[in-house]
Amino acid sequence: MSNKILECNRQFVESILKKYNYDSHELLQMLVEIQKNTDKGYIDRDTIEFISRELNIPEIRIHSIISYYDALSMESEARYVINVCNGTTCGLMGNGRIEKWVEDILGIKKGEATDDGLFSLKETPCFGACDMAPAIRIGDRIYGNITRNKIEEIIEKLSRDELYPEDKRLSTDNGSLKIITSNFDEYDGMNIIDYIGLGGYEAFNNTVKKGIEESIDEISKSGIRGRGGAQYPTGRKLSQSRAVKNERKVIVCNADEGEPGTFKDREILKRDPYKIIEGMLIASYLTDANEGFIYLREEYYWMRDRIGNAIEKSREYGWLGENIKNSGHDFDIRLVSGAGSYVCGEGFALCESLEGKPGIPRSKPPYVKQAGYLQLPTLIINVETLAAITTVMKNGSEIFTEHGTEESPGTKVVCISGKVNTPGVYEVPFGISVMEMINGLAGGVSGGRKIGFVQIGGASGGILPGSKLNIGYDYETFSNLNMGIGSGAVVVADDTDDIVEYVGTVQKFFSHESCGKCTPCREGNKQLKRILERFKESKGTKEDVENYKRIVKTMEIASLCGSGKTEAVPLKNAMEYFEDDFLKRVVTDGF
Ligand code: SF4
Ligand code: FES
């Protein structure tokens, strides 16, 4: 087999393979690192051939990974790829204008590159900068609140190989409660001494003192539920995970925050990473796990040094490693990277991704807690849930039960974005009215307009009209509406925004992100996308109105994973509350 890989590139690739011990389970990590650190910005065929030979795996396996993940590429892209976010918030905030401006300035269309290979224009799913919408991403640099002048200046500077100063990603949180987020702005998120000075690692000491049963009881009493969207009681989850006995058990912090409109985990990880590490340490102690991973979404690659520093310092100060503070417990954490796949937020898909494969969900049972990563018992916990565990074990369950409602004690970190005056991350007590969050915390609708509709909980979250927002933001109220709190996203549209266009954006996202394993989700999303495109062009048909219901039902019943089962929730809500907006775009007689 010939190998045409250049010597300098060969040495570089070899160093990465060596770093990962030539272990093919690390293939995804290797590929991400190779692509991030190569001047080319893509993985060429010679490199693939070389990796295949060195790892003794078929080339097709490498191809399948590169083609599955959005962040990996086998094709030459321009030196500067201008990625325009096509997420829900950016859609409301005018991302279409950005594409037109770039087309105008550079004379290229979406998917094209300039003749000199300097720039290309692409659209990309939400990268967690929704508080700065409309946003673009060039490499790992994010630019928000894009105007024509700003994009002109960015392009002008890059043409001279100069970098335009990156926007600070410091989300507003004025008026927030400070419970889970108590350390925000109290230290810089870097210095472990400062974290310890704020009472850091007291929660772990309390856990060891209390013992396992009592600590799990404390967490159960606090009423914490999973904050990634599943809402499963955390105390129960820890108990069930503890009950699975195995010599080798794993904990994964799910930092793959991929729901459009969601950026709270970004803020927690950036401003208080030690709290997450402490939460993982506590969870590992309670479930007898010794290995931990933080699975960080590729879109947050820019945070790797910061999180890596917190892991390293925790190790240096004896909060990770062997026999941690004489507790008899060993635990350590590795930081790993996702590569741009929404479905990897699902438990099994995440395990597959950790194993260096495309992130495709598996059938259940067995469950992740029994046979997840490498078939080992695996506990997957969301970033905010870990922060909540640390908070409760430091202060006692009362810190949660004195806030919120009886069925939804405590607080929730939410991200409010879209047509509001002060988009940002806010910590709110459960039970607060949605209207109060928007008008009180986020400063009301921008431009003095009225609320048109709001999507709550992420891309598959429910949609409510402005007239129905005087409701409590809590599990029981949303469950009665057949909706969920989801990821904590609250995306606000004003009364000029088009609901049909909005759900079209949502459906396009799901159509792109469906992993394709099962037909109802793969084909259903494609069909719904087409139906919505017809409505958008006022070419909807009577059949479309009937067909969408059948497609949605099939997806709900027959999709393999939770993603496919819930993807049509926004469309259903939109049809329920804004039926006229759809029907007036039907061309067939009789409507
Ligand atoms: S429901 Fe969708 S995302 Fe889930 S396994 Fe099926 S195709 Fe993949
Ligand atoms: S960054 Fe655009 S929707 Fe999130």
Side-chain angles (χ1 to χ4, degrees), residues 5 62 71 92 99 101 111 128 133 151 232 245 270 376 502 541:
I5 190 167
I62 305 171
L92 289 173
E99 284 180 8
W101 291 332
I151 191 79
Y232 195 73
K245 303 289 175 206
K270 185 179 66 178
L376 297 167
Y502 186 85
T541 65

Side-chain angles (χ1 to χ4, degrees), residues 5 32 42 44 51 55 82 108 147 168 234 262 287 292 301 348 390 403 415 445 447 474 494 497 505 547 572 574:
I5 190 167
V32 170
Y42 71 100
D44 63 25
I51 297 172
L55 299 190
I82 302 173
I108 52 171
T147 59
K168 269 184 103 182
T234 303
T262 311
T287 59
Y301 204 83
F348 271 131
T390 308
H403 295 280
C415 343
V445 180
D474 51 62
D494 72 24
D497 290 314
T505 302
N547 283 344
K572 268 170 54 178

Side-chain angles (χ1 to χ4, degrees), residues 256-276:
D256 193 38
E257 171 174 71
E259 288 288 352
T262 311
F263 44 97
K264 67 180 173 67
D265 291 349
R266 177 197 82 190
E267 289 301 294
I268 297 172
L269 281 165
K270 185 179 66 178
R271 292 158 88 168
D272 200 6
Y274 289 102
K275 194 174 235 180
I276 305 311

Side-chain angles (χ1 to χ4, degrees), residues 153-198:
E153 279 176 41
I154 292 169
I155 290 173
E156 210 259 320
K157 274 202 177 292
L158 289 175
S159 306
R160 287 185 273 118
D161 261 350
E162 286 172 24
L163 290 176
Y164 188 89
E166 197 176 7
D167 286 316
K168 269 184 103 182
R169 303 178 188 93
L170 183 62
S171 203
T172 317
D173 54 7
N174 291 337
S176 267
L177 287 175
K178 298 273 184 198
I179 293 167
I180 293 173
T181 58
S182 60
N183 290 342
F184 278 21
D185 302 329
E186 298 296 326
Y187 80 119
D188 63 3
M190 296 294 283
N191 193 329
I192 191 167
I193 305 279
D194 291 343
Y195 179 68
I196 291 169
L198 291 165

